[in-house]
Amino acid sequence: MPLKAVLFDCSGVIIHDEELRKQLLEELLLDENLRPNGEEFAPLCLGRSDRACLTDLFERRGRIMNQDYLKRLCDRKAERYQRLLDDQAKLPIYPGVTDLLYQLRTLQVAIAVVSGAARSEVDYVMQRSHLADQVNAVISGDDYLVGPPEPDGYLTAIARLNAQQATLNLMPADCLVIEDTPAGIQAAKAAGMSVVGVANTYPYHMMQRQANWAVDYLTELELDRVQQVFNGAELRQSVG
């Protein structure tokens, strides 16, 4: 079965912004007179949606939020995110992203970005980096309720791409996901998709153990070898 679509996570795959995200989440806690704990960020937030991350951070401190209040916190974080990136002359886009998108467009492979962040954040990154025209669909945390490790975001991407191209007939087995966290890899596999783990956030050996392929950098991804697998070769556990 040929490779029909590649689905990219945003934070940690397209843009190097995990430290910025950590800073903003800690600021939200301080706004609410709650004490941040830096050790919580990786297990509770990396690879997960802002909604899920904030819910867990606040529940650990005895605060239960309704959906309206949670949305206000996410919106506040999104506004600050854009203001901070406005101060940077150039966005920290990972090497290899632009070239890989170009290759996929040349091959007429559908492309989607799947993120747990607010739509305004993802749109800002894609527009500011001049990548928006390279993708067919953007799925944000505004489009689904349950994020990684559940598969909702990636399944939403399939539905969106199929709605755009009636003849695509996209199925999970036709998709390749590019992720940087264990939670994201679990979500993609739960959706029935193959995954490339890129070692931008976690060490290579962790990506190798969990993903179908692992690379240190996107520039190392051999797209022709991936296509050979989708065209009928046996799926390999990892290619470094």
Side-chain angles (χ1 to χ4, degrees):
M1 196 171 290
L3 174 64
K4 293 183 178 181
V6 175
L7 314 180
F8 290 76
D9 183 21
C10 189
S11 292
V13 172
I14 292 177
I15 183 169
H16 185 14
D17 66 349
E18 298 291 10
E19 284 301 316
L20 176 58
R21 185 175 177 223
K22 178 181 178 182
Q23 172 189 331
L24 292 171
L25 291 170
E26 289 180 347
E27 286 179 4
L28 290 179
L29 289 172
L30 290 171
D31 288 347
E32 302 294 318
N33 296 314
L34 298 173
R35 186 187 300 275
N37 178 351
E39 294 182 357
E40 292 177 318
F41 180 70
L44 295 184
C45 302
L46 283 179
R48 303 182 70 215
S49 69
D50 287 345
R51 185 185 294 111
C53 172
L54 283 167
T55 297
D56 286 352
L57 288 173
F58 275 70
E59 284 185 354
R60 284 196 171 196
R61 291 157 175 81
R63 298 273 190 94
I64 307 298
M65 297 178 290
N66 61 38
Q67 290 301 309
D68 288 340
Y69 195 80
L70 182 58
K71 184 180 185 304
R72 288 199 295 273
L73 287 178
C74 291
D75 289 345
R76 192 189 310 167
K77 182 244 179 184
E79 291 171 4
R80 294 177 179 178
Y81 179 87
Q82 293 184 46
R83 285 203 302 269
L84 288 174
L85 288 182
D86 279 339
D87 293 334
Q88 299 189 23
K90 185 178 180 181
L91 293 189
I93 301 300
Y94 278 104
V97 171
T98 302
D99 288 345
L100 181 56
L101 289 175
Y102 176 79
Q103 291 179 58
L104 294 171
R105 295 285 290 185
T106 301
L107 295 168
Q108 298 184 320
V109 173
I111 303 168
V113 175
V114 182
S115 173
R119 179 61 184 251
S120 60
E121 288 186 33
V122 185
D123 283 346
Y124 176 91
V125 170
M126 300 305 291
Q127 293 289 344
R128 173 94 185 273
S129 59
H130 307 292
L131 297 176
D133 293 340
Q134 301 300 312
V135 305
N136 302 96
V138 172
I139 310 301
S140 73
D142 300 339
D143 295 311
Y144 56 92
L145 289 176
V146 183
E150 299 303 318
D152 299 46
Y154 287 114
L155 295 176
T156 301
I158 285 186
R160 184 78 55 83
L161 291 171
N162 279 329
Q164 291 178 356
Q165 304 179 49
T167 60
L168 185 60
N169 194 27
L170 187 64
M171 302 293 288
D174 306 325
C175 300
L176 179 71
V177 173
I178 302 180
E179 269 286 358
D180 68 305
T181 65
I185 293 171
Q186 291 171 34
K189 286 194 168 184
M193 301 175 182
S194 300
V195 194
V196 172
V198 58
N200 288 338
T201 306
Y202 285 87
Y204 173 86
H205 66 84
M206 291 184 65
M207 298 293 96
Q208 188 180 40
R209 286 201 301 266
Q210 299 180 53
N212 302 101
W213 290 273
V215 293
D216 281 306
Y217 309 100
L218 272 184
T219 52
E220 297 175 348
L221 180 60
E222 299 178 15
L223 194 55
D224 56 341
R225 296 183 68 185
V226 173
Q227 286 184 298
Q228 289 175 13
V229 171
F230 276 83
N231 286 331
E234 181 181 354
L235 184 65
R236 296 193 58 184
Q237 179 59 32
S238 64
V239 176

